[in-house]
């Protein structure tokens, strides 16, 4: 039996091979940031930081942080109503509203926050105030949950201070 190797067939075969990875990535997707000012104020009303993950589409380390730590945190039934976890895509021109109500894009906001390497998980209060040191990179996987919990608690304490 002769196989058809036309460019269209090769493209379709490649798309079918990539489909499982795409479905897996979509299942681990976080809500994209849309209005940081409103989202940070909403999180602060519950005494929590707005947790923002800076990511890129081609970042496998970002996918691991989303899948193993942030997605479970965002879906935790005990915390879901209180914790807001959002994603900013460093490589996206999707429109959004910044912390001061200004119109911007994901890429411009990431650049204004001086995000160069991803993943970065940052913790914000109202007006874009950083509440804890961001977690840059993957660090040690055995300790990442502890880093995340510590930063959330530090952020909660910072929100209590004027």
């Amino acid at each position: 039996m002769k196989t058809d190797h036309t460019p269209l067939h090769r493209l379709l075969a490649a798309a079918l091979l990539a489909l499982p990875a795409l479905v897996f990535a979509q299942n681990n997707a976080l809500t994209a940031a849309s209005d940081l000012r409103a989202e940070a104020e909403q999180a602060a009303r519950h005494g929590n930081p707005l947790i923002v993950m800076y990511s890129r589409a081609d970042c496998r380390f970002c996918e691991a942080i989303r899948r193993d730590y942030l997605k479970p945190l965002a879906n935790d039934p005990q915390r879901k109503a209180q914790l807001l976890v959002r994603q900013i895509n460093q490589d996206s021109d999707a429109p959004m509203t910044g912390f001061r109500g200004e119109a911007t894009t994901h890429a411009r906001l990431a650049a204004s926050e001086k995000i160069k390497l991803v993943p970065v998980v940052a913790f914000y209060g109202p007006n874009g105030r950083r509440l804890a040191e961001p977690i840059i990179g993957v660090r040690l996987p055995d300790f990442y949950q502890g880093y995340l919990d510590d930063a959330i608690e530090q952020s909660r304490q910072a929100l209590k201070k004027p």
Side-chain angles (χ1 to χ4, degrees):
M1 179 174 177
K2 186 175 178 182
T3 306
D4 189 353
H5 290 289
T6 63
L8 178 60
H9 283 99
R10 283 192 295 255
L11 181 63
L12 287 172
L16 286 174
L17 290 173
L19 191 58
L22 179 61
V23 169
F24 181 75
Q26 286 178 338
N27 288 339
N28 288 314
L30 296 170
T31 302
S34 61
D35 185 341
L36 291 177
R37 179 170 51 183
E39 291 161 338
E41 288 173 0
Q42 180 183 352
R45 280 193 296 275
H46 292 285
N48 289 302
L50 172 63
I51 302 170
V52 175
M53 178 186 189
Y54 292 92
S55 183
R56 294 181 59 86
D58 61 353
C59 174
R60 64 184 172 98
F61 298 112
C62 300
E63 178 58 31
I65 297 300
R66 265 191 306 275
R67 178 191 65 233
D68 297 340
Y69 304 101
L70 297 179
K71 191 67 176 177
L73 182 69
N75 289 336
D76 181 343
Q78 295 177 329
R79 295 180 167 186
K80 191 173 186 170
Q82 299 164 349
L83 280 179
L84 285 183
V85 181
R86 296 293 184 259
Q87 181 170 310
I88 293 178
N89 300 305
Q90 183 187 38
D91 54 351
S92 171
D93 287 326
M96 64 178 295
T97 302
F99 286 107
R100 288 165 189 75
E102 75 281 10
T104 188
T105 67
H106 281 232
R108 282 196 307 245
L109 192 111
S112 74
E113 289 291 307
K114 299 180 179 28
I115 303 298
K116 295 187 186 333
L117 300 173
V118 291
V120 172
V121 177
F123 307 86
Y124 295 100
N127 299 319
R129 180 172 66 122
R130 290 242 178 143
L131 301 173
E133 285 297 313
I135 302 172
I136 301 170
V138 180
R139 297 192 183 179
L140 295 173
D142 290 345
F143 299 106
Y144 197 92
Q145 187 64 53
Y147 299 140
L148 187 58
D149 291 340
D150 289 348
I152 291 170
E153 185 55 36
Q154 182 182 355
S155 297
R156 287 178 177 149
Q157 295 305 315
L159 279 169
K160 292 178 183 177
K161 298 175 185 173

